[in-house]
Amino acid sequence: MIRLTTLVAASLVAGAACAADFNTLLDRVVALNPSDAIAAIADRAEILDQKAENTLEAPEVEFTRVWGNNDEIGNKWELSVTQSFDWPGLYAARRRAVKANEIALQANREAALRDLRAEARLLLVDIVNNYKNIELETGLAARMDSLEYRYRIASDAGDETVLDYNKTVIERIAVHRALHSLEAEREVLLSSLSAMTAGADAAELLKDFDYEYPAFDISSVPVTREAIAALDPQAAAADLRIKALKAAESVERRSLLPGFSLGYAHETELGGDFNGFTIGVTLPFLYGNKRIKSSQLQAESIRMEAENAVTRRQASVNADLARLKALGHIIDEYTPVVTTEASMILLKKALDARQITFLTYIEEVNYFIAARRDYLETLYQYQQTLASLSYFN
């Protein structure tokens, strides 16, 4: 099998005992992506900020010094130390809210990681498809290079017409143009792979890759609404976000309860010392709190969106399964014909025996090549659909 020239160097450097399969490479790509680590840092900062809100305010120290307008009155000074604190049950409610939010943020990251894996899977499917098409065009280009050389020699010797030779030149140019287009597409895919893996060398990542599509068990795909909801990480994340909002609502309710402040006070006036304490009460309920209603509305919005998302996911799964069945039928019909070189060998023998003209040969070759391209495109669409269905795995 003819290999793509741009892969030769990578293949020589590899020196690996065995090739990496699709899922092994997929795991590596996901592991190299920094988005989860970035999200984890941002989530950690948010949690620390929330925990900071659940601490006592710093004690307040106040000192007052005033001077009288005559010696008989003397001077006056006052010192007080005050500590404010919220309603006691509010601190426990905040701790529960922080924990619930921490779990919800973790679920969000897991859902995002599943989305990232799906994106990486589709990118690798694109890379495999591109490679297989380049293999096809590389083999065809080598065949046309050989024919052009043969017809040039024959034309110089007078055994073939210049017209036939020019036809080989035109066909060779067309094939190489298609090949160069696919190679340019490959460079774009490699750039995308490098971007997804934080700048890793894409050629290095692919050097041991076997460029084969992954196997997948269709029976593992959930089809009922209940099964999809149970396996969908987005649905799980939504449920945990709702619980976090419920905990936040509890915090808001308790925050409407009175707060207190206790303090020690010392005064010196007219030569006498006075010691005592201060008590303060804040009444936040007098202002009302619309944030409770906001939390309730957010929770209801998330619940409705989660239900709608499951409905869309179920419709997508059913459509993908139907599409997969149709594509699989086409692939089964194509496979016995286009995965063999028998037709190409017969055409080459007919051309060498002058049973067909070069023009007829090209027309027939293009016919089978077009079928091979259609087969690869169908296989590509099949694998794209499988990638969508493998979201739950």
Side-chain angles (χ1 to χ4, degrees):
M1 182 180 293
I2 299 175
R3 294 289 181 179
L4 172 62
T5 54
T6 56
L7 295 178
V8 172
S11 298
L12 292 175
V13 174
C18 60
D21 64 15
F22 189 98
N23 290 322
T24 299
L25 180 59
L26 177 60
D27 291 340
R28 189 176 180 192
V29 170
V30 172
L32 288 172
N33 188 276
S35 58
D36 184 59
I38 294 172
I41 293 173
D43 291 350
R44 180 60 178 164
E46 180 177 339
I47 294 301
L48 288 176
D49 187 54
Q50 290 178 341
K51 288 182 177 180
E53 294 179 0
N54 198 33
T55 57
L56 290 174
E57 295 184 12
E60 183 178 348
V61 179
E62 184 176 353
F63 176 78
T64 304
R65 172 77 173 183
V66 294
W67 288 264
N69 58 4
N70 57 63
D71 294 338
E72 183 178 344
I73 297 176
N75 300 323
K76 176 183 177 180
W77 63 274
E78 178 181 351
L79 173 68
S80 65
V81 180
T82 305
Q83 174 67 62
S84 299
F85 55 92
D86 296 314
W87 185 266
L90 182 56
Y91 296 99
R94 282 183 183 145
R95 285 195 297 272
R96 289 192 294 269
V98 170
K99 185 61 177 177
N101 192 43
E102 189 172 11
I103 295 173
L105 290 174
Q106 173 65 30
N108 285 339
R109 291 205 309 274
E110 291 174 358
L113 200 59
R114 186 70 64 89
D115 290 337
L116 170 65
R117 189 173 183 85
E119 181 183 354
R121 184 184 288 110
L122 284 172
L123 177 58
L124 293 185
V125 167
D126 288 345
I127 289 174
V128 173
N129 175 64
N130 173 263
Y131 177 86
K132 290 183 177 298
N133 276 278
I134 287 179
E135 272 196 325
L136 174 64
E137 297 299 332
T138 301
L140 184 57
R143 185 180 290 111
M144 293 311 303
D145 289 344
S146 177
L147 280 174
E148 182 196 8
Y149 175 77
R150 168 186 159 182
Y151 271 75
R152 179 170 63 81
I153 298 299
S155 176
D156 291 343
D159 296 331
E160 295 289 350
T161 67
V162 175
L163 183 61
D164 281 338
Y165 167 65
N166 288 339
K167 291 176 184 177
T168 64
V169 174
I170 292 172
E171 287 298 323
R172 182 191 62 79
I173 292 173
V175 170
H176 278 274
R177 182 176 62 184
L179 178 58
H180 294 330
S181 177
L182 287 167
E183 289 174 337
E185 178 186 319
R186 176 176 174 80
E187 292 305 315
V188 174
L189 292 172
L190 292 181
S191 295
S192 298
L193 181 60
S194 180
M196 185 174 285
T197 53
D201 186 343
E204 182 70 16
L205 286 172
L206 294 170
K207 70 178 183 179
D208 299 330
F209 190 32
D210 61 8
Y211 290 95
E212 293 296 337
Y213 290 122
F216 182 70
D217 182 12
I218 299 298
S219 64
S220 64
V221 177
V223 292
T224 66
R225 181 181 180 84
E226 293 75 16
I228 290 173
L231 293 176
D232 191 345
Q234 295 286 358
D239 183 60
L240 289 170
R241 286 200 302 274
I242 290 173
K243 290 181 179 179
L245 285 170
K246 294 283 187 184
E249 179 184 336
S250 176
V251 170
E252 295 300 334
R253 290 187 183 280
R254 284 173 170 74
S255 67
L256 298 179
L257 297 173
F260 304 92
S261 63
L262 294 176
Y264 163 78
H266 173 84
E267 292 185 17
T268 298
E269 184 176 1
L270 298 175
D273 292 328
F274 302 87
N275 294 287
F277 61 90
T278 62
I279 298 176
V281 179
T282 58
L283 304 174
F285 60 84
L286 295 178
Y287 299 97
N289 196 332
K290 295 182 179 180
R291 286 182 292 185
I292 294 176
K293 186 63 177 178
S294 174
S295 294
Q296 293 172 342
L297 292 175
Q298 288 183 58
E300 179 64 14
S301 174
I302 291 173
R303 184 191 64 78
M304 294 176 64
E305 175 57 30
E307 291 179 355
N308 191 35
V310 171
T311 299
R312 293 197 304 268
R313 185 82 72 184
Q314 184 181 21
S316 176
V317 166
N318 291 334
D320 284 342
L321 288 173
R323 176 179 171 82
L324 207 64
K325 184 177 180 180
L327 291 172
H329 179 68
I330 296 172
I331 291 171
D332 290 341
E333 290 185 322
Y334 261 131
T335 300
V337 180
V338 300
T339 57
T340 175
E341 292 292 319
S343 298
M344 293 297 187
I345 294 173
L346 290 174
L347 284 173
K348 184 63 168 57
K349 288 181 178 179
L351 178 65
D352 293 341
R354 295 185 177 274
Q355 294 174 350
I356 58 175
T357 65
F358 177 75
L359 185 59
T360 300
Y361 171 78
I362 290 300
E363 290 175 347
E364 295 296 326
V365 166
N366 286 339
Y367 177 81
F368 285 104
I369 290 298
R372 176 69 176 176
R373 288 171 181 150
D374 286 344
Y375 167 75
L376 290 178
E377 177 62 23
T378 305
L379 192 62
Y380 173 52
Q381 294 176 8
Y382 185 89
Q383 289 296 327
Q384 283 182 312
T385 308
L386 275 182
S388 177
L389 289 171
S390 62
Y391 175 82
F392 298 98
N393 289 355

